[in-house]
Amino acid sequence: MRSWLLIVFLSFPLAAPAAAADWTTPAEAAGFRTTPSYADTLAYLKRLEEAAPGRIQLQTFGISPQGRPMVAVIANANGVFTPEGARAAKLPVVLVQAGIHPGEIEGKDAGLMLLRDFAVTGKSPHLLDHEVLVFIPVFSVDGHENSSPYNRINQNGPDSMGFRGQSQYLNLNRDYIKADTAEMRAWLSLWRHWRPDFLTDIHTTDGADYQYDLTWYLEDPNKLYAAISDWQQKAMAAIIPAYEKRGHLASIYLEFKDGKDPRQGIVNFGSGPRFSTGYAALQNRPALLIETHMMKPYAVRVRAAYDLVALLLEHIGRDPAALLAATAKADADTIARGKIAAAPVALTFKPDLVSTRYTLKGYAFRQSPSDVSASGWIQYDPAKPATIEIPNWNRLLPDVLIAPPAAYAVPAQWTDVVARLRDHGIVFKRLDCAVTVDAEGYQLGDPKWATQPFEGHLMLRSVTTSPVSRHETLPAGSVIVPLDQPAANVAIELLEPDAPDSLLRWGILDAIFEIKEYGEPRVVEKLARDMLAKDPALKAEFERKLKDDAVFAASPQARLNFFFQRSPWYSVQRAGAYPVLRLDAKMRDILSAAVAGKSCPVPEVDSAYRDPR
Ligand SMILES: [Zn+2]
């Protein structure tokens, strides 16, 4: 560990003496023993903005639940601080974020140093000539201020660090799709405003010990348009050798199949739309997850983040047109797919069972039985580097596929659903008048929920989805979501019941499974007799079930429900009728015309009673 520290301090730039004293960042001044508070972080950034107003601008894009400003730093060599300016000058927008997990905070301290070196010390004045950087120094600002030496048991410094959950105990890196938190809704407003061309999300890893000071992750090519995947694969192939030339050692992200035995190999960690990189994939954007290694000293980790982000920005600046072309192509491909008979879209992915080989630069380790855990205990020896060949199961294959519709229709009353479409920048049209449509829908059945909360939700673990035809009247105010738009893949993830992060799976629509009216047993007794008398087939089915299903036969309630559930008093309640409809191209066009055509009277609430929100 000591040799690491020595390398780090020798490799830090020695700026001109007067400037060095003025612009030392708080973490540098503390010898990387501590990381600054949010107030001190913002104070340093404000000084930079005042010293270089043509290069740095701070923008507040949200307010945290505890009332803190959520600040992004916009940086460009020629003072381009707006998305319109970036588009006019053909500059890609690069979003770099730190502190989504605020205990993992090297990205913030690296960012302060990098912005300083770009803006005022003359070390990297041309870093942002050909791109606009949007830098979030701390995403989870309330979690950052909930600081303790005990927040990250696996991690080697700084002395005190933020807490993984924000102030309502929610993990922002699981909130991308459901967007429950004020922080995520603010982030989505930043995303809508800038529509960045590239996202980098900086973390510190947990897990095993090994030689690498940094690991990195890209979404699997099967989750991305070819233009996006090719661009990011090529970028990392160019950047990693340059990164290692600066004295680092990097690896693809290392999720071990068996945490107690690295020889069993590595697997894909899963990601998905609730995570930053998985969300960017749905928005047709390349994204890089950076994980510095938790056991390396904080100074080493800050340097690792600094060098990788600097090289990334240099790489993008050398050929900004290539990145812009890739994101434009992916958006165009999404729009084109929405216009024609739809090609299948993968909702879930499974591991490719064919592995490749991976050379792990690890450490010697010892496995011993433990009488404490009554299991095995792995202990690494960082003094003894060891290289081993292991299997790599990172590759993914499409699993559950669906044919997307031409458009979705969301009835007006599902306001939570509509609000989330808006949060994600999904374009939709509102019906001014009620319209009757023929559409596809889903009948859902046999719902099973998790029994433990996850991110504040009891998730719907499994449900059957049967396609059905629907003839329904959509009330005025219902929204039509055409899929010939750049954010189409986000709409599909939110609205297809089988998508792992659909609003249905998160429990936003749980009420559709509830029966509101039950039959009194004395009433259903009579109903059952009437039904049995009228329907010999039903009688035979009932008798067969009594014979074959002992649990059913022993339950008076199940026996009566057999009849109630086959009666119009049950079917009228429409339990499990998924409210979002799938429209074909013809119906989409009819409804688009209806949107443009008429206007219907809208009732208004007297002013004294209006919703203050
Ligand atoms: Zn993290």
Side-chain angles (χ1 to χ4, degrees):
M1 291 295 169
R2 234 168 240 156
S3 61
W4 273 107
L5 274 172
L6 192 64
I7 291 163
V8 163
F9 286 120
L10 288 176
S11 67
F12 274 120
L14 297 171
D22 286 342
W23 291 107
T24 305
T25 67
E28 287 173 319
F32 295 94
R33 202 175 38 75
T34 59
T35 189
S37 69
Y38 191 49
D40 289 348
T41 302
L42 291 186
Y44 185 87
L45 290 168
K46 277 185 185 133
R47 277 185 61 217
L48 277 183
E49 183 186 39
E50 280 159 19
R55 306 193 127 223
I56 300 259
Q57 188 180 88
L58 305 194
Q59 296 182 1
T60 299
F61 63 95
I63 305 291
S64 74
Q66 291 185 330
R68 295 184 178 88
M70 296 179 67
V71 172
V73 183
I74 318 300
N76 170 262
N78 301 305
V80 178
F81 298 139
T82 65
E84 297 76 22
R87 273 193 290 275
K90 296 193 165 48
L91 303 177
V93 175
V94 180
L95 174 56
V96 176
Q97 65 187 33
I100 189 171
H101 292 153
E104 311 165 13
I105 201 58
E106 41 277 74
K108 172 192 73 179
D109 287 313
L112 264 49
M113 292 158 60
L114 195 56
L115 287 167
R116 177 264 321 266
D117 292 343
F118 157 71
V120 293
T121 63
K123 187 187 171 216
S124 311
H126 297 293
L127 187 66
L128 301 172
D129 282 359
H130 304 296
E131 66 214 90
V132 177
L133 171 66
V134 178
F135 174 64
I136 303 176
V138 182
F139 185 173
S140 185
V141 292
D142 294 344
H144 183 272
E145 297 306 277
N146 181 8
S147 188
S148 162
Y150 300 107
N151 275 343
R152 295 259 305 153
I153 186 173
N154 302 321
Q155 187 171 298
N156 179 12
D159 281 358
S160 186
M161 64 201 78
F163 183 63
R164 189 174 181 83
Q166 45 78 284
S167 57
Q168 296 150 313
Y169 298 94
L170 296 174
N171 179 346
L172 295 182
N173 204 25
R174 304 294 181 273
D175 197 31
Y176 275 88
I177 275 283
K178 64 183 170 62
D180 282 339
T181 61
E183 292 95 327
M184 187 52 70
R185 289 195 295 274
W187 187 96
L188 289 171
S189 73
L190 183 89
W191 183 276
R192 289 195 306 270
H193 183 63
W194 284 95
R195 196 150 174 78
D197 293 287
F198 181 78
L199 168 67
T200 301
D201 188 22
I202 307 171
H203 294 246
T204 318
T205 197
D206 285 300
D209 202 359
Y210 38 68
Q211 298 172 44
Y212 310 103
D213 60 350
L214 178 147
T215 60
W216 54 277
Y217 177 86
L218 302 174
E219 291 293 332
D220 187 88
N222 279 317
K223 291 185 176 179
L224 296 160
Y225 289 96
I228 298 298
S229 184
D230 292 351
W231 182 89
Q232 65 182 19
Q233 297 283 353
K234 272 188 206 147
M236 293 313 287
I239 290 163
I240 292 300
Y243 175 73
E244 295 195 332
K245 266 192 202 139
R246 292 191 179 191
H248 301 282
L249 194 59
S251 165
I252 56 167
Y253 187 72
L254 295 168
E255 177 85 7
F256 287 92
K257 194 174 178 190
D258 178 347
K260 289 175 189 158
D261 187 358
R263 290 166 301 195
Q264 299 305 313
I266 51 174
V267 294
N268 195 300
F269 90 97
S271 176
R274 69 189 67 165
F275 294 84
S276 57
T277 54
Y279 182 72
L282 289 186
Q283 290 275 14
N284 311 328
R285 292 298 179 264
L288 173 70
L289 173 71
I290 296 176
E291 298 265 357
T292 69
H293 188 239
M294 77 262 170
M295 293 309 296
K296 306 298 182 282
Y298 190 56
V300 172
R301 288 168 15 224
V302 173
R303 190 72 213 177
Y306 178 103
D307 280 333
L308 194 70
V309 172
L311 288 164
L312 251 165
L313 296 173
E314 282 174 24
H315 179 84
I316 291 168
R318 267 194 292 276
D319 190 359
L323 175 55
L324 287 173
T327 55
K329 173 85 169 78
D331 281 349
D333 286 352
T334 312
I335 292 167
R337 190 194 63 201
K339 287 195 189 299
I340 56 167
V345 172
L347 294 179
T348 61
F349 298 84
K350 60 189 175 190
D352 185 342
L353 296 176
V354 179
S355 66
T356 56
R357 299 300 294 170
Y358 183 75
T359 304
L360 174 72
K361 291 179 179 170
Y363 293 131
F365 59 89
R366 191 159 60 92
Q367 293 161 305
S368 49
S370 162
D371 50 6
V372 172
S373 65
S375 175
W377 182 17
I378 184 164
Q379 292 165 280
Y380 293 95
D381 184 353
K384 290 184 190 156
T387 299
I388 56 172
E389 294 290 320
I390 58 173
N392 173 3
W393 284 282
N394 260 283
R395 288 189 308 206
L396 298 177
L397 298 171
D399 191 7
V400 173
L401 298 157
I402 55 118
Y408 292 102
V410 182
Q413 66 270 29
W414 297 102
T415 50
D416 280 358
V417 176
V418 176
R420 280 169 168 92
L421 295 175
R422 193 183 288 115
D423 288 338
H424 287 282
I426 293 164
V427 176
F428 56 77
K429 296 167 186 167
R430 274 197 188 271
L431 293 174
D432 286 337
C433 308
V435 178
T436 300
V437 298
D438 288 302
E440 285 177 21
Y442 292 110
Q443 179 60 39
L444 309 177
D446 202 16
K448 300 252 178 353
W449 284 270
T451 52
Q452 294 287 319
F454 173 69
E455 296 301 316
H457 295 256
L458 291 176
M459 289 196 78
L460 183 60
R461 280 273 168 247
S462 67
V463 67
T464 60
T465 51
S466 310
V468 289
S469 298
R470 300 270 191 220
H471 179 76
E472 295 199 7
T473 300
L474 295 166
S478 297
V479 307
I480 308 302
V481 186
L483 290 190
D484 54 347
Q485 61 170 305
N489 291 314
V490 185
I492 291 170
E493 183 68 34
L494 288 166
L495 299 178
E496 281 296 330
D498 285 330
D501 275 333
S502 66
L503 295 176
L504 180 80
R505 296 279 170 164
W506 280 108
I508 309 296
L509 295 161
D510 277 352
I512 65 172
F513 295 105
E514 296 176 22
I515 284 294
K516 298 299 181 196
E517 290 278 4
Y518 291 87
E520 285 292 343
R522 64 184 166 75
V523 176
V524 181
E525 292 277 3
K526 169 82 168 55
L527 173 77
R529 280 165 182 75
D530 292 348
M531 288 169 75
L532 285 167
K534 274 188 211 149
D535 189 345
L538 182 80
K539 186 163 185 286
E541 189 191 342
F542 179 61
E543 282 164 0
R544 207 164 40 244
K545 200 158 169 65
L546 288 177
K547 207 161 80 182
D548 296 347
D549 186 342
V551 177
F552 174 80
S555 166
Q557 191 185 359
R559 290 167 70 135
L560 289 177
N561 267 341
F562 176 91
F563 297 96
F564 182 65
Q565 287 174 358
R566 283 161 179 76
S567 78
W569 284 275
Y570 182 88
S571 60
V572 74
Q573 300 189 51
R574 305 193 72 208
Y578 188 59
V580 179
L581 300 178
R582 291 162 46 94
L583 307 176
D584 62 17
K586 194 174 150 206
M587 191 54 73
R588 176 197 60 197
D589 296 342
I590 290 169
L591 290 183
S592 296
V595 167
K598 291 180 271 177
S599 92
C600 301
V602 181
E604 276 198 37
V605 177
D606 289 342
S607 59
Y609 300 99
R610 276 185 200 145
D611 187 337
R613 285 172 304 174

